[in-house]
């Protein structure tokens, strides 16, 4: 078996578990909690989730699964992300 496939298969259960836990935690927050930031220089939970999602895409999906890069890193830090924006990024990995 190809070593890359073995690495992916060994990491996927942990990745899926972490993703489920993260989405469960976010699901317990209000829309206000998700979009709140302490000041204009800080990011909201929604921005951070969008950024992490972009990193996962760039570092995992693109490399291991050859999924084309469509990331817009600057957009990850724009204000106005909401709960729908978070769940849209979820893929069935």
């Amino acid at each position: 078996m190809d070593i890359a496939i073995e690495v992916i298969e060994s990491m996927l259960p942990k990745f899926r578990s972490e993703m489920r836990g993260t989405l469960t935690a976010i699901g317990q927050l209000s829309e206000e909690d998700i979009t709140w930031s302490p000041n204009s220089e800080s990011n909201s939970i929604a921005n951070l989730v969008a950024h992490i999602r972009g990193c996962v895409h760039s570092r995992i999906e693109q490399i291991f699964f050859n999924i084309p890069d469509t990331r817009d890193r600057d957009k990850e830090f724009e204000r106005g992300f909401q709960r729908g924006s978070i769940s849209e990024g979820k893929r069935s990995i």
Side-chain angles (χ1 to χ4, degrees), residues 22-23 26 44-54 85-87:
T22 300
L23 291 174
I26 290 170
S44 68
I45 292 171
N47 291 116
L48 295 174
V49 169
H51 181 60
I52 291 167
R53 176 70 189 97
S85 304
I86 293 171
S87 59

Side-chain angles (χ1 to χ4, degrees), residues 3-93:
I3 189 72
I5 300 297
E6 288 184 40
V7 169
I8 292 168
E9 287 179 356
S10 71
M11 294 173 65
L12 275 176
K14 179 67 172 167
F15 178 78
R16 287 182 180 128
S17 173
E18 294 296 326
M19 185 169 69
R20 276 192 304 275
T22 300
L23 291 174
T24 298
I26 290 170
Q28 297 173 23
L29 300 173
S30 70
E31 193 72 32
E32 182 180 348
D33 292 334
I34 290 171
T35 58
W36 177 84
S37 65
N39 58 55
S40 62
E41 300 299 315
S42 299
N43 293 303
S44 68
I45 292 171
N47 291 116
L48 295 174
V49 169
H51 181 60
I52 291 167
R53 176 70 189 97
C55 289
V56 167
H57 172 70
S58 291
R59 305 295 190 260
I60 296 175
E61 294 175 350
Q62 188 180 3
I63 293 169
F64 290 116
F65 300 107
N66 295 319
I67 295 174
D69 185 17
T70 58
R71 183 179 185 192
D72 183 353
R73 189 176 187 282
D74 291 337
K75 188 174 181 179
E76 296 166 10
F77 297 100
E78 289 178 2
R79 301 287 180 223
F81 272 101
Q82 297 176 334
R83 187 178 307 276
S85 304
I86 293 171
S87 59
E88 286 171 10
K90 188 175 78 169
R91 295 194 185 186
S92 58
I93 292 181

